[in-house]
Amino acid sequence: MYKTLLIGFVFNFFFFQASFAQKAADSLILKLHLKFGKDDLELGKKYVSTKKDTLQIDVFKFYISNIEIQYSDKKVYNPTNSYHLIDIENSNSLRIPIGYKNNLAIKNVFFNIGIDSTASVSGALEGDLDPTKGMYWAWQSGYINMKIEGKSSSCKTRKNEFQFHIGGYMKPSYAIRKVQLEAKNQEIDVSIDVSEFFSAIKLSKINSIMIPGKEAMELADYSIKMFKTE
């Protein structure tokens, strides 16, 4: 009887593994790769920007929302409840399941950096939109679309800190930006190069943006350049 139970256990184990592997193979996943230039982005590691600022990243979070997949036949797939908080400290957040693969080639991928007005004024929400995630200002200002914090000797601030909290959902301070990426194959691998963000900023002059406004709008424009398909 013991032998029979053991055989049954082994069969069920391998059946589960095979089913899980098949499900993963059939899934369409947006895979994000955080970079600083050619290097992987790591918390606390020293990098040098094109502006010659030596800096380290201590916090890097941002929202991806309203994902759209455009296929070669021009049909578009829109996943429901497409709000995702990406956090460098949570490796699981770097893989976003979108749906099931099909035989059509993917032509383009669209998504927003940030949270739209509907979600911003909906009140207390759950999951990645939970205010306890530290990405919500208040209903007047909405969500922080992107948060980048760290240190640099170029910053003449307390502990040489810089803080960029980019957001705003009401005009004229509408900081949500739409990204369009051309898909290179059936997989969707997206590189997010933070060095592109700092290539537009001299930290001795700009090192703290904490509210919606003109400066946040400009930083939102810079943030688009960070995203590329691999």
Side-chain angles (χ1 to χ4, degrees):
M1 181 176 178
Y2 173 78
K3 185 176 181 180
T4 302
L5 290 173
L6 180 61
I7 293 173
F9 172 79
V10 172
F11 175 80
N12 288 331
F13 174 79
F14 283 106
F15 177 79
F16 173 79
Q17 291 289 89
S19 299
F20 181 80
Q22 183 61 45
K23 185 176 181 180
D26 291 340
S27 297
L28 184 61
I29 298 174
L30 187 66
K31 302 173 185 177
L32 308 178
H33 307 273
L34 306 182
K35 300 283 188 178
F36 198 101
K38 295 181 179 179
D39 299 324
D40 291 336
L41 183 65
E42 299 177 26
L43 293 178
K45 183 177 178 179
K46 294 287 195 299
Y47 300 97
V48 179
S49 73
T50 57
K51 297 290 188 181
K52 307 302 180 184
D53 290 319
T54 299
L55 61 99
Q56 71 178 55
I57 304 295
D58 296 327
V59 176
F60 184 40
K61 299 180 181 181
F62 61 93
Y63 277 108
I64 283 179
S65 65
N66 298 329
I67 298 172
E68 299 179 6
I69 306 299
Q70 184 185 63
Y71 293 98
S72 55
D73 64 354
K74 296 186 179 180
K75 289 182 180 178
V76 175
Y77 173 65
N78 303 85
T80 58
N81 299 319
S82 185
Y83 299 103
H84 305 276
L85 177 59
I86 313 305
D87 186 350
I88 189 174
E89 295 193 75
N90 178 10
S91 59
N92 291 332
S93 70
L94 303 180
R95 293 172 60 87
I96 302 175
I98 297 173
Y100 292 102
K101 290 182 181 178
N102 57 39
N103 295 325
L104 295 174
I106 300 170
K107 184 178 180 181
N108 292 298
V109 180
F110 304 88
F111 55 80
N112 289 341
I113 306 171
I115 301 299
D116 56 36
S117 59
T118 302
S120 293
V121 299
S122 295
L125 296 171
E126 298 178 343
D128 282 358
L129 294 177
D130 192 321
T132 62
K133 300 289 185 180
M135 295 291 284
Y136 188 71
W137 278 316
W139 72 266
Q140 297 98 328
S141 304
Y143 284 87
I144 300 170
N145 296 337
M146 181 176 289
K147 179 183 287 189
I148 305 177
E149 298 179 357
K151 299 180 182 67
S152 172
S153 56
S154 300
C155 299
K156 307 308 177 186
T157 56
R158 181 176 176 271
K159 297 183 179 180
N160 302 118
E161 294 176 337
F162 58 80
Q163 295 178 307
F164 299 111
H165 295 186
I166 306 166
Y169 70 91
M170 292 190 294
K171 294 181 179 181
S173 300
Y174 187 74
I176 296 170
R177 295 293 182 268
K178 189 166 187 173
V179 174
Q180 176 181 349
L181 299 174
E182 183 179 352
K184 297 182 179 180
N185 50 52
Q186 192 69 4
E187 302 294 329
I188 308 174
D189 288 276
V190 178
S191 173
I192 298 106
D193 183 0
V194 181
S195 72
E196 291 285 352
F197 182 85
F198 287 97
S199 69
I201 299 172
K202 186 63 179 172
L203 287 171
S204 59
K205 297 180 179 179
I206 302 174
N207 48 57
S208 181
I209 305 296
M210 303 292 287
I211 59 174
K214 180 180 177 181
E215 291 178 314
M217 294 275 286
E218 292 174 352
L219 293 184
D221 291 336
Y222 299 154
S223 69
I224 297 176
K225 299 178 182 179
M226 297 163 52
F227 295 81
K228 296 180 178 66
T229 47
E230 295 190 342

